[in-house]
Amino acid sequence: MLRAHPSLLRELVERCETLRRHLASGGSAETRRQLEDASYTLCVVTGTRQLDTALDGARRQLADAMRREQPRRR
């Protein structure tokens, strides 16, 4: 299975979360469009169809990537 680079996932997760907050506090139609675009992209790179599922999947992938990057101690 192909996986998106962690930096791309991190950027998309942060963007979606930020846009969601802006929209919840009275964001504009432009904010809604930007959230739809970012959500679509995150869904594509995680192989999902809903934003909440995509965010959960991206967070799991990021956690896995962090564990793999940790040096192994003996």
Side-chain angles (χ1 to χ4, degrees):
M1 171 196 244
L2 293 176
R3 288 187 177 231
H5 193 274
S7 63
L8 174 62
L9 286 175
R10 194 172 300 111
E11 178 183 327
L12 287 168
V13 167
E14 289 172 4
R15 183 159 177 74
C16 286
E17 289 172 342
T18 299
L19 289 167
R20 267 184 159 181
R21 283 192 300 273
H22 287 292
L23 196 58
S25 64
S28 64
E30 177 63 16
T31 302
R32 180 175 299 284
R33 187 197 61 73
Q34 289 175 357
L35 178 57
E36 288 171 359
D37 288 348
S39 298
Y40 174 81
T41 303
L42 185 60
C43 286
V44 168
V45 300
T46 58
T48 60
R49 291 181 177 257
Q50 294 181 340
L51 179 56
D52 289 333
T53 307
L55 287 168
D56 289 342
R59 289 182 187 119
R60 276 195 306 276
Q61 288 182 37
L62 287 169
D64 290 345
M66 294 273 295
R67 278 193 294 276
R68 285 193 304 270
E69 289 177 9
Q70 296 292 327
R72 295 185 185 216
R73 295 183 184 197
R74 292 184 174 199

